[in-house]
Amino acid sequence: MNRYTAEHFAGDTLHDRIARAVCEAECLPRKEFHEAWESAKRIRRQMRGGEVWELAAGHGLLSAILLILDDSSPSATCIDIKRPPSQERVLAALQNHWPRLQGRIGFEESRLEEAQVPTGSLIASVHACGELTDRVLDLAIRQRTRVAVLPCCHDLRRCDTGALAPWMDGPLAVDATRAARLQHAGFRVQTALIPAEITPKNRLLLGWPETPARISEPQTRT
Ligand SMILES: C[S@@+](CC[C@H](N)C(=O)[O-])C[C@H]1O[C@@H](n2cnc3c(N)ncnc32)[C@H](O)[C@@H]1O
């Protein structure tokens, strides 16, 4: 997305206004904008408020859109082992148009497995590759926080297929098992899809901690 492609987003909708700001940053492919927008929109229909913790954040656009869509979240913390240059550029461009974002979105270069996420937060993660999505769910289960993940790069050797692989395609078996895992851990679960033309890895899994876990969690593989 760049100054030349901004003309594709000429409308007065929030979608187009955010897209034009991202075009000014001139560092993201269009797909990444659409993934973040479509995920954030669906998350905010269901989950309001709370500190946002975006894990495996990369450019961190999801955090910014989550705060733009719901100003009742005080802050967002992006965590990734490496802060890409795009994160600063995207955030600067968005802050020019939404000054209320200033000072509210932080970035920590660290492993998400070690994140100190307070209870009451909202954990969100778009395309944490393979098993990394399971580490995001580990954290949400441990901290009893709301969680929203859009998994990708399903690793059928390392991720749990719940013995469902003969019945359905392997990546679907992994995500179905993730949903069941959250339910067994005492979470209410909802599922949604973002448009498949944006990404084939389009399953959004949402969870809210409700009750104590029904069974103790098995030891996670490391
Ligand atoms: C496919 S990218 C997704 C980035 C971003 N969420 C997006 O939608 O474009 C996966 C990200 O996970 C990060 N990552 C890999 N291992 C990690 C870990 N253990 N803790 C935190 N981030 C990690 C990578 O640096 C990379 O930015």
Side-chain angles (χ1 to χ4, degrees), residues 145-166:
T145 57
R146 295 169 296 165
V147 63
V149 292
L150 188 79
C152 77
C153 307
H154 300 76
D155 180 342
L156 301 184
R157 285 168 302 125
R158 300 181 67 90
C159 297
D160 187 358
T161 58
L164 294 169

Side-chain angles (χ1 to χ4, degrees), residues 28 32 35-36 54-62 79-84 107-108 110-114 125-129 132 135 150 152-153:
L28 285 195
E32 312 250 317
E35 285 169 358
E54 184 185 353
L55 306 182
H59 48 68
L61 178 58
L62 179 69
I79 294 197
D80 199 293
I81 45 172
K82 190 159 171 46
R83 182 182 192 181
F107 198 102
E108 288 178 14
S110 60
R111 289 164 53 81
L112 66 85
E113 294 89 331
E114 286 143 26
S125 189
V126 166
H127 289 173
C129 309
L132 207 51
R135 302 296 79 82
L150 188 79
C152 77
C153 307

Side-chain angles (χ1 to χ4, degrees), residues 2 21 40 56 66 70 72 76 79 87 93 98 101 118 132 138 141 146 155 159 164-165 168 181 204-205 216:
N2 55 45
L66 287 171
D70 178 14
S72 70
I79 294 197
Q87 194 267 337
W98 286 272
L101 292 179
L132 207 51
D138 292 345
I141 290 169
R146 295 169 296 165
D155 180 342
C159 297
L164 294 169
M168 61 180 80
R181 178 185 175 208
L204 185 64
L205 172 61
S216 58

